[in-house]
């Protein structure tokens, strides 16, 4: 009898935890968001995002609230002797949270830790060639997003990207686009969308554009998007995201349908920021 009661109490406790956890998370996040955004954080954000002042005030406030929660929830780990500073955290958070302004990312729920190397780092990935042969390679990387709970970045590359915002390359945007893609546990170039109609239109547009980039890459044609996007659909989505935010004018001229899809998904129009500069 006592054992049955103990088991029942444990079951009730587990159920209560499952039911209350989302409410506690929401309450904790609301508390964080209701705190004032430190002035030094805003100054950093203005320096990191050259278009910050061109965002509507409602978007600025939302970005600040997302950054505050992101910084409170994610663990930053310095690798190879790198000391994690407030500048490093804010630089990554500002760009990562820019992708969450469409309210669909839920603070990258699969992500726990962000590993930051001082510069490019080496890895030795393995690939099975056959049942009896495994190939080991030696690769130099600037970033990667894991399907488990970690994301890896090169601080040197992040600094370079901040100084060259319009070159179409951004390791933070690239890797966090992968995180959006991986939210459902798969990495296939399709993030979580709002409706079945959105999925159908996404599949149509992205399939056509991906195949076109593959053809252009094979034929050596000049492209607006990095040809690395022709590797697979997941890389195409990440590269398209970089291009959308950094080279909107070129993208809308050459890939209007793709631009419209990303504008609808991210609920932002970087082209407006470019036009306001002229």
């Amino acid at each position: 009898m006592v054992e049955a009661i103990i088991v029942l109490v444990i079951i009730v406790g587990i159920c209560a935890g499952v039911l209350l956890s989302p409410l506690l998370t929401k309450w904790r996040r609301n508390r964080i968001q209701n705190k004032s955004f430190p002035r030094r954080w805003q100054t950093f954000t203005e320096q990191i995002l050259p278009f910050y002042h061109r965002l509507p005030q409602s978007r600025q406030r939302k970005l600040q609230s997302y950054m505050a929660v992101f910084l409170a929830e994610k663990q930053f780990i310095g690798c190879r002797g790198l000391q994690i500073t407030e500048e490093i955290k804010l630089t990554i958070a500002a760009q990562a949270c820019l992708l969450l302004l469409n309210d669909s990312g839920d603070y990258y729920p699969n992500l726990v830790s962000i590993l930051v190397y001082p510069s490019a780092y080496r890895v030795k990935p393995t690939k099975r060639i056959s049942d009896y042969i495994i190939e080991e390679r030696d690769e130099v990387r600037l970033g990667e997003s894991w399907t488990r709970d970690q994301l890896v970045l090169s601080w040197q590359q992040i600094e370079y990207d901040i100084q060259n915002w319009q070159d179409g390359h951004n390791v933070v945007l690239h890797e966090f686009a992968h995180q959006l893609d991986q939210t459902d546990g798969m990495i296939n170039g399709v993030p979580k969308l709002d409706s079945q109609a959105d999925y159908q239109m996404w599949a149509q547009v992205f399939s056509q554009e991906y195949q076109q980039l593959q053809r252009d890459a094979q034929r050596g044609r000049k492209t607006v998007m990095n040809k690395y996007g022709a590797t697979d659909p997941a890389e195409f989505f990440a590269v398209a995201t970089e291009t959308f935010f950094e080279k909107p004018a070129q993208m809308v001229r050459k890939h209007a349908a793709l631009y419209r899809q990303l504008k609808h998904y991210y609920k932002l129009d970087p082209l407006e920021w470019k036009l306001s500069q002229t």
Side-chain angles (χ1 to χ4, degrees):
M1 182 65 177
V2 175
E3 292 180 354
I5 293 174
I6 293 174
V7 171
L8 181 61
V9 170
I10 292 174
I11 293 174
V12 171
I14 293 173
C15 292
V18 171
L19 293 173
L20 290 176
S21 181
L23 296 177
L24 291 173
T25 297
K26 184 177 181 180
W27 174 80
R28 178 174 47 78
R29 288 175 174 175
N30 285 338
R31 284 194 62 191
I32 295 171
Q33 292 173 333
N34 288 333
K35 294 180 180 179
S36 60
F37 197 72
R39 177 59 194 172
R40 68 181 185 281
W41 287 15
Q42 181 170 336
T43 300
F44 264 123
T45 305
E46 292 168 356
Q47 295 170 350
I48 294 159
L49 304 178
F51 48 80
Y52 178 82
H53 288 296
R54 298 180 176 88
L55 292 173
Q57 287 191 354
S58 61
R59 292 295 193 182
Q60 292 180 13
R61 289 193 295 270
K62 181 175 284 191
L63 179 63
Q64 291 175 1
S65 69
Y66 275 124
M67 288 176 62
V69 174
F70 183 93
L71 289 166
E73 293 187 349
K74 307 307 179 186
Q75 178 185 34
F76 291 79
I77 301 173
C79 302
R80 204 189 297 154
L82 179 68
Q83 296 296 313
I84 295 296
T85 63
E86 187 175 65
E87 178 186 4
I88 291 175
K89 291 182 178 181
L90 288 168
T91 302
I92 294 171
Q95 296 172 88
C97 292
L98 182 66
L99 303 187
L100 299 180
L101 294 182
N102 60 358
D103 295 320
S104 67
D106 191 27
Y107 300 97
Y108 304 105
N110 298 335
L111 179 63
V112 176
S113 303
I114 301 166
L115 281 62
V116 187
Y117 282 82
S119 58
Y121 56 96
R122 289 186 176 276
V123 296
K124 294 183 179 295
T126 59
K127 179 180 180 181
R128 181 173 292 277
I129 305 300
S130 68
D131 291 339
Y132 307 102
I133 300 175
I134 295 179
E135 178 186 65
E136 183 179 83
R137 293 170 293 171
D138 186 11
E139 295 182 2
V140 176
R141 294 182 179 176
L142 300 174
E144 58 189 305
S145 177
W146 298 357
T147 54
R148 288 172 292 173
D149 57 5
Q150 294 184 332
L151 185 146
V152 189
L153 296 166
S154 158
W155 175 238
Q156 184 181 61
Q157 184 62 37
I158 294 172
E159 289 186 299
Y160 178 86
D161 292 338
I162 290 299
Q163 298 300 319
N164 297 272
W165 186 264
Q166 299 177 2
D167 67 355
H169 303 283
N170 186 298
V171 68
V172 176
L173 295 181
H174 185 104
E175 301 305 337
F176 278 93
H178 281 319
Q179 281 290 314
L180 293 176
D181 188 4
Q182 295 165 193
T183 301
D184 59 359
M186 298 183 293
I187 180 164
N188 56 7
V190 185
K192 182 181 178 181
L193 303 177
D194 293 332
S195 67
Q196 186 60 38
D198 284 343
Y199 280 106
Q200 293 173 349
M201 182 59 69
W202 185 279
Q204 177 182 333
V205 172
F206 270 73
S207 176
Q208 293 175 351
E209 293 283 355
Y210 171 57
Q211 292 172 14
Q212 183 62 55
L213 183 61
Q214 284 187 313
R215 289 192 293 269
D216 290 343
Q218 291 170 357
R219 297 169 185 174
R221 294 173 178 166
K222 185 177 179 180
T223 59
V224 174
M225 290 182 284
N226 190 318
K227 293 175 183 177
Y228 184 64
T231 303
D232 58 48
E235 296 299 345
F236 180 78
F237 170 55
V239 167
T241 294
E242 292 177 272
T243 310
F244 174 73
F245 281 100
E246 295 214 353
K247 301 169 71 175
Q250 296 94 315
M251 178 178 253
V252 79
R253 283 198 301 269
K254 298 292 186 178
H255 307 279
L258 180 60
Y259 188 88
R260 286 194 298 270
Q261 282 297 300
L262 292 168
K263 175 183 172 181
H264 177 70
Y265 172 66
Y266 284 115
K267 294 181 172 56
L268 292 169
D269 188 359
L271 192 61
E272 293 179 351
W273 312 334
K274 308 294 287 189
L275 289 173
S276 65
Q277 294 178 357
T278 59

